């Protein structure tokens, strides 16, 4: 598809320039882009208004309209986001190790940009500026494919950033938007491995599945979170209740929200009524196994499907187990490898859980809600990887870098 | 496909056990496996004989028969390979960083096994033992899909290793072989992302292409190498000749062999006749551009295709350029991101080449032949990654690991 080939070639070309930029040049570009977003706020809001009108006409739900909507504060937020990236340390160019071999060769491993990064995402238009900021800071060209609902907003944002880069003498093709929102174009985009080094899907499970199934570009899966809290027989009940309340109810629609409880049978009789009371006060509905329902029969019965589900809603599943081993097995079977927590005051159980649970982040006595780039101290994140290659957990700037070996010789042959 | 699902489930189960093994338990398994290979040498050689007879019947070439053939020395080599892996430091369990957050959470990043690794490879049966050794040491279960030509040999080797593990009280499903060599089974194997965390193809460009096109499992591409040596206008001719001779002729059929020369026009008149003499003495045939052929008209003309080709043969392409910029552009366009070298005595050109060439290993004044796990000091390698995610360049034990965040709390909520 010539349309995509052109975009790919331009991105590659921009990437070779970005690779040679100094940190201060990149920061300058980010500052100019942040400024331009503020200066041209009206343009962005007008374009966003067009998206909103179309969205309402097509019967978009209130909550989706809300995600789509930009206002003065949100535009300011985008600009502020870019300035926060300016403040982060540029990882590019660091030589992580350098050794001297017996034959005198000096071999260093140096951090370099990945090259060209593709990002496929759904409605929220502020992702457009965020993704550009992180990719640009790490010297990567980015090709964005946003949702069709936000097309006008995205075009406005990308156009403003590109103009700002051009004025700063930097390659505007550092960020390109795929404006053709046809599905066939998206599929072709996933097969553009000749030009794209990494593809990051950000969105629901359906989008991620489609990308994994179809992409020939290396993919980092992000975001799906069926997170568990396991209440051990040695749990402090008050701590467990506070953590579960926070992990489930602080924000319903995010990936590090708790979707499933696992409770040791020795404390089930006493603990389940307490957690039921605490969460039902916040309109959470329980779907539980037979043993839990025998204790608290107002709960709905859980199906097999419930245990594997990321509800993102006022629902939680509950399972009673007879041992920590059974808890670990249950969690490792149903989880999405995102974030899991144990509440216990027994050292051996804490260590066993940390060692044997297979997930990006494993917690002892803390809420799963902390799995987040800024909570981890990375400053910003491009997503949360739930796979095991390259990056696992919150992905900050480092996740957008690769390495190369640089070898200094004096005529060595083998 | 039930056959593969069963294998996948067994591997996953074995992986949960391997994840908890201590270094010494894994080393014990490797030692037992090495011993068993030596003890049962006759079984292996008999099975190999069966493969060789079938290979000869089907008209297999001499060189392929040679790659397929095992003898006392090669079996000993396999056992020695496993013992070498015993001697390497186990990277699993290392906590690479641990920080304390303002809210008191302690967040560590710990090295863990990837889980289940699939390896698809062609004829050489010693890969079977090598791949098992590296995966086992890093606590990963491995599923092997070797070439049909080596099926009997592979079955013998895997059976012996599995028995040795069982005797040592370790899970035999740490290594499984796909014995059904049907192509459809191989394709299904590539789509087993429910059970497999990483797929590594080892073999020719065709195999790697097929895996990239079809796999839903994350893939690390290995091995294709269209490596260049660039002779700068500031090159020491003797050093250049020695390095080119070594890089091209020391071993023809490996991925870090030089396949293409790039020569600065200012030295072309004097250098090209010298390098032509040196390599034609070793029966290397040149395919060159018009400018080079004007200097040395015995060379064959190069086509566009030649510049992009990994010959693995007595052929080399040659291109004359007018600047280091043109050299870098040419190399970045045609290379396979493997290994590239500049010969120069000018500091600025060395640094420019190191910075701007996009490859896993970039050399100044040394042979590309050094891109190799043991030459880099990793002890052993599972392949050489030519992609940018997760691992780039020679892949030692570290490339077979992932990380997870372990978080120690005392009731923190967000």
């Amino acid at each position: 598809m010539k349309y995509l080939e052109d975009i790919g070639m331009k991105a590659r070309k921009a990437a070779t320039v970005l690779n040679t930029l100094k940190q201060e040049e990149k920061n300058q570009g980010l500052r100019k882009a942040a400024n331009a977003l503020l200066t041209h706020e009206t343009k962005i809001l007008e374009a966003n208004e067009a998206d909103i009108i179309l969205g309402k006409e097509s019967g978009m739900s209130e909550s989706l309209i809300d995600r789509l909507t930009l206002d003065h504060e949100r535009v300011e937020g985008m600009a502020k986001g870019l300035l926060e990236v300016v403040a982060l340390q540029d990882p590019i160019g660091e030589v992580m190790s350098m050794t001297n071999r017996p034959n005198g060769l000096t071999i260093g491993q140096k951090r370099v940009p990945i090259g060209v990064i593709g990002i496929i995402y759904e409605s929220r238009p502020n992702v457009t500026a965020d993704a550009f900021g992180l990719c640009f800071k790490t010297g990567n060209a980015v090709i964005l494919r946003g949702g069709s609902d936000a097309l006008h907003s995205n075009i406005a944002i990308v156009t403003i950033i590109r103009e700002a880069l051009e004025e700063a003498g930097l390659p505007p093709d550092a960020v390109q938007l795929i404006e053709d929102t046809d599905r066939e174009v998206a599929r072709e985009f996933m097969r553009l491995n000749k030009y794209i080094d990494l593809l990051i899907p950000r969105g629901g499970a359906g989008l991620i599945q489609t990308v994994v199934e179809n992409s020939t570009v290396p993919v980092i899966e992000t975001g799906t979170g069926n997170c568990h809290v396991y209440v051990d027989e040695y749990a402090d009940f008050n701590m467990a209740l506070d953590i579960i309340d926070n992990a489930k109810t602080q924000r319903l629609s995010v990936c590090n929200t708790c979707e499933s409880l696992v409770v040791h049978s020795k404390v089930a009789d006493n603990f389940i009524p307490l957690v039921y009371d605490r969460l039902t006060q916040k309109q959470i509905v329980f779907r539980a196994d037979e043993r839990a329902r025998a204790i608290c029969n107002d709960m709905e019965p859980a199906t097999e499907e419930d245990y594997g589900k990321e509800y993102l809603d006022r629902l939680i599943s509950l399972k009673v187990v007879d041992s920590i081993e059974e808890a670990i097995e249950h969690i490792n079977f149903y989880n999405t490898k995102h974030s899991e927590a144990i509440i216990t005051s027994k050292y051996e159980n804490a260590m066993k859980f940390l060692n044997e649970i297979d997930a990006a982040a494993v917690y002892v006595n803390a809420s799963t809600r902390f799995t987040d780039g800024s909570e981890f101290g990375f400053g910003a994140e491009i997503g949360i990887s739930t796979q095991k290659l390259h990056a696992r957990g919150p992905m900050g700037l480092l996740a957008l870098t690769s390495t190369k070996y640089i070898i200094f010789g004096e005529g060595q042959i083998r």
Side-chain angles (χ1 to χ4, degrees), chain A:
Chain A
M1 197 176 284
K2 183 156 182 326
Y3 172 64
L4 286 176
E5 293 260 331
D6 280 352
I7 288 176
M9 270 191 283
K10 283 184 194 165
R12 238 240 172 276
K13 212 160 175 186
T16 65
V17 179
L18 297 179
N19 174 49
T20 63
L21 294 182
K22 294 170 181 51
Q23 180 168 185
E24 186 42 39
E25 293 171 302
K26 292 186 282 188
N27 286 343
Q28 196 55 27
L30 290 168
R31 278 191 217 104
K32 294 251 181 195
N35 252 328
L37 290 175
L38 296 175
T39 310
H40 299 293
E41 183 184 312
T42 323
K43 263 192 211 166
I44 298 173
L45 297 183
E46 277 170 16
N48 187 244
E49 187 59 31
D51 284 331
I52 292 168
I53 291 170
L54 286 171
K56 284 183 177 163
E57 279 175 15
S58 69
M60 196 185 257
S61 75
E62 271 307 304
S63 71
L64 280 180
I65 292 278
D66 176 62
R67 282 161 62 94
L68 177 58
T69 303
L70 294 175
D71 53 17
H72 171 66
E73 220 169 51
R74 287 189 178 174
V75 173
E76 240 181 23
M78 288 195 274
K80 221 180 114 200
L82 292 181
L83 295 178
E84 279 166 11
V85 173
V86 168
L88 297 175
Q89 176 65 32
D90 181 1
I92 298 300
E94 182 199 358
V95 176
M96 297 126 74
S97 67
M98 196 169 237
T99 52
N100 207 277
R101 299 291 306 152
N103 61 2
L105 278 183
T106 298
I107 302 182
Q109 193 180 23
K110 187 178 166 183
R111 213 170 265 294
V112 299
I114 285 179
V116 177
I117 297 177
I119 299 184
I120 301 187
Y121 56 110
E122 289 165 345
S123 43
R124 290 193 306 134
N126 50 329
V127 171
T128 308
D130 289 357
F132 156 73
L134 293 167
C135 290
F136 191 78
K137 178 84 181 197
T138 42
N140 295 292
V142 65
I143 303 174
L144 302 168
R145 199 279 186 187
S148 53
D149 303 335
L151 183 63
H152 296 93
S153 314
N154 289 338
I155 289 177
I157 296 165
V158 168
T159 305
I160 289 164
I161 295 174
R162 286 172 56 93
E163 282 169 7
L165 293 177
E166 191 136 40
E167 272 171 36
L170 296 164
D173 291 330
V175 53
Q176 293 180 87
L177 179 73
I178 296 180
E179 299 185 12
D180 186 339
T181 56
D182 191 84
R183 265 165 194 264
E184 209 32 63
V185 175
R187 289 208 181 233
E188 274 300 310
F189 182 44
M190 297 174 202
R191 304 186 68 80
L192 215 60
N193 59 338
K194 195 170 154 197
Y195 300 104
I196 306 179
D197 298 295
L198 165 62
L199 193 57
I200 304 177
R202 286 185 58 165
L207 169 69
I208 289 164
Q209 192 54 27
T210 305
V211 173
V212 168
E213 288 285 331
N214 292 289
S215 181
T216 58
V217 181
V219 171
I220 294 184
E221 291 184 51
T222 66
T224 320
N226 177 24
C227 306
H228 297 72
V229 175
Y230 166 55
V231 181
D232 191 36
E233 59 176 310
Y234 304 99
D236 175 315
F237 280 10
N238 285 326
M239 186 192 281
L241 291 169
D242 287 347
I243 287 174
I244 291 166
D245 186 349
N246 178 260
K248 181 64 212 175
T249 71
Q250 197 226 355
R251 236 178 121 188
L252 286 173
S253 66
V254 289
C255 60
N256 54 21
T257 289
C258 172
E259 304 286 13
S260 188
L261 291 182
V262 181
V263 178
H264 195 287
S265 55
K266 282 201 183 146
V267 295
D269 280 340
N270 294 325
F271 184 73
I272 287 176
L274 296 176
V275 74
Y276 179 78
D277 277 357
R278 178 79 169 248
L279 293 190
T280 46
Q281 280 173 30
K282 300 198 177 177
Q283 293 80 50
I284 304 296
V285 172
F286 282 78
R287 296 207 176 146
D289 66 357
E290 284 313 304
R291 295 173 77 180
R293 294 183 69 224
I295 298 164
C296 197
N297 60 18
D298 288 343
M299 294 174 174
E300 296 180 4
T303 62
E304 177 75 13
E305 204 195 340
D306 282 303
Y307 294 123
K309 206 145 180 190
E310 185 187 26
Y311 294 121
L312 301 173
D313 203 347
R314 296 194 178 279
L315 283 164
I316 196 164
S317 72
L318 171 52
K319 161 99 184 161
V320 176
V321 295
D322 287 321
S323 65
I324 184 172
E325 287 78 12
E326 193 187 341
I328 290 171
E329 201 176 325
H330 175 84
I331 293 171
N332 280 341
F333 187 80
Y334 288 104
N335 76 353
T336 54
K337 317 295 174 206
H338 195 297
S339 301
E340 314 298 341
I342 183 175
I343 317 298
T344 192
S345 60
K346 190 175 163 97
Y347 171 79
E348 287 83 355
N349 289 7
M351 298 314 286
K352 189 180 176 70
F353 196 84
L354 285 175
N355 287 333
E356 297 183 18
I357 285 289
D358 187 13
V362 189
Y363 292 82
V364 178
N365 296 341
S367 169
T368 55
R369 287 279 292 116
F370 287 108
T371 305
D372 174 275
S374 64
E375 292 293 335
F376 274 29
F378 301 163
E381 72 172 37
I382 192 98
I384 292 171
S385 162
T386 52
Q387 68 172 35
K388 294 186 186 174
L389 291 206
H390 187 70
R392 199 175 190 201
M395 295 191 288
L397 291 178
L398 276 189
L400 299 180
T401 68
S402 180
T403 60
K404 76 176 165 192
Y405 288 103
I406 51 175
I407 301 110
F408 300 85
E410 40 197 16
Q412 279 86 349
I413 59 171
R414 200 171 156 185

